[in-house]
Amino acid sequence: GETLYLDKTVLANNTISVLTGGLLSTDLEKVKSEIQAHPWVYQIKVNRQWPASLQLDVREEVPVARWGNSGLLNHEGDIFWPEQSEQYTQLPQLQGPSSNTGQIMSQYYDLNQMLRNIGLQVVGLNLEARGAWTLQLNNGVRLVVGREQIVERLDDVFVHQCHD
């Protein structure tokens, strides 16, 4: 498959290093788990292809946000930890309890959708352990917005105020 972040040659060499014995005796689950351990591998299928090869069908992680200081989030809200994650500074930075990544991503999308209409964008979103939300906007403004009815409250402040 197409890859942006994975080096296919390195991946092939890592696969070869796991192979023991011949093609028929190779443990495909071991090969799969070794490749899956790479931080940029989202999904992998390994099949024997007759007469003497393995077919690797690799789907790469697609980063949609930064997570904390060194992680990235994929499109499903799963955290992965690649090297050199600092090169993704153009992505929004999300933070909070790792068990709440789905909620944080959903809140991020809802807030961005609402604020886009007035030319603003959320570039950072933090869910604190006590449940309060903090937003960083692309205009440099930092908002601490509390715990409840975030979208509704911001809608009242931004959208209705801007149209009056």
Side-chain angles (χ1 to χ4, degrees), residues 23 47-55:
L23 179 65
N47 296 305
R48 286 185 179 87
Q49 194 158 23
W50 193 255
S53 63
L54 289 179
Q55 179 181 1

Side-chain angles (χ1 to χ4, degrees), residues 31-43:
V31 172
K32 183 177 178 179
S33 67
E34 183 71 26
I35 295 169
Q36 190 72 54
H38 191 287
W40 282 106
V41 173
Y42 172 67
Q43 194 173 55

Side-chain angles (χ1 to χ4, degrees), residues 1 35 99 104 145:
I35 295 169
S99 60
I104 295 167
V145 292

Side-chain angles (χ1 to χ4, degrees), residues 4 21 31 34 68 73 87 89 108 122 142 150-152 157:
L4 294 173
V31 172
E34 183 71 26
L73 286 177
Q87 68 187 6
T89 56
Y108 168 78
V122 178
R142 183 176 176 263
I150 307 307
V151 173
E152 294 82 1
V157 170

Side-chain angles (χ1 to χ4, degrees), residues 2-155:
E2 292 295 315
T3 59
L4 294 173
Y5 310 103
L6 285 167
D7 183 326
K8 290 181 180 182
T9 304
V10 170
L11 199 59
N13 289 337
N14 289 349
T15 303
I16 290 169
S17 70
V18 176
L19 300 178
T20 55
L23 179 65
L24 293 177
S25 63
T26 296
D27 182 352
L28 296 185
E29 286 303 313
K30 183 177 178 184
V31 172
K32 183 177 178 179
S33 67
E34 183 71 26
I35 295 169
Q36 190 72 54
H38 191 287
W40 282 106
V41 173
Y42 172 67
Q43 194 173 55
I44 177 77
K45 292 179 186 172
V46 179
N47 296 305
R48 286 185 179 87
Q49 194 158 23
W50 193 255
S53 63
L54 289 179
Q55 179 181 1
L56 307 177
D57 182 15
V58 178
R59 287 186 53 207
E60 225 174 17
E61 291 283 11
V62 177
V64 297
R66 292 177 290 149
W67 182 255
N69 294 324
S70 58
L72 295 173
L73 286 177
N74 70 13
H75 63 286
E76 291 187 352
D78 296 327
I79 304 168
F80 62 105
W81 308 94
E83 293 180 11
Q84 301 172 345
S85 63
E86 64 276 358
Q87 68 187 6
Y88 301 97
T89 56
Q90 78 282 4
L91 295 175
Q93 185 169 26
L94 309 180
Q95 296 186 76
S98 60
S99 60
N100 294 82
T101 57
Q103 176 189 11
I104 295 167
M105 283 183 66
S106 177
Q107 188 76 283
Y108 168 78
Y109 286 121
D110 290 347
L111 291 168
N112 255 341
Q113 195 70 15
M114 178 190 69
L115 294 172
R116 182 175 292 129
N117 297 330
I118 57 171
L120 292 173
Q121 181 180 2
V122 178
V123 295
L125 182 62
N126 182 24
L127 173 61
E128 297 174 19
R130 61 183 174 86
W133 293 91
T134 303
L135 290 76
Q136 182 72 40
L137 302 178
N138 62 331
N139 64 359
V141 172
R142 183 176 176 263
L143 299 170
V144 179
V145 292
R147 301 189 317 187
E148 297 177 13
Q149 299 177 321
I150 307 307
V151 173
E152 294 82 1
R153 289 170 60 202
L154 288 175
D155 185 54

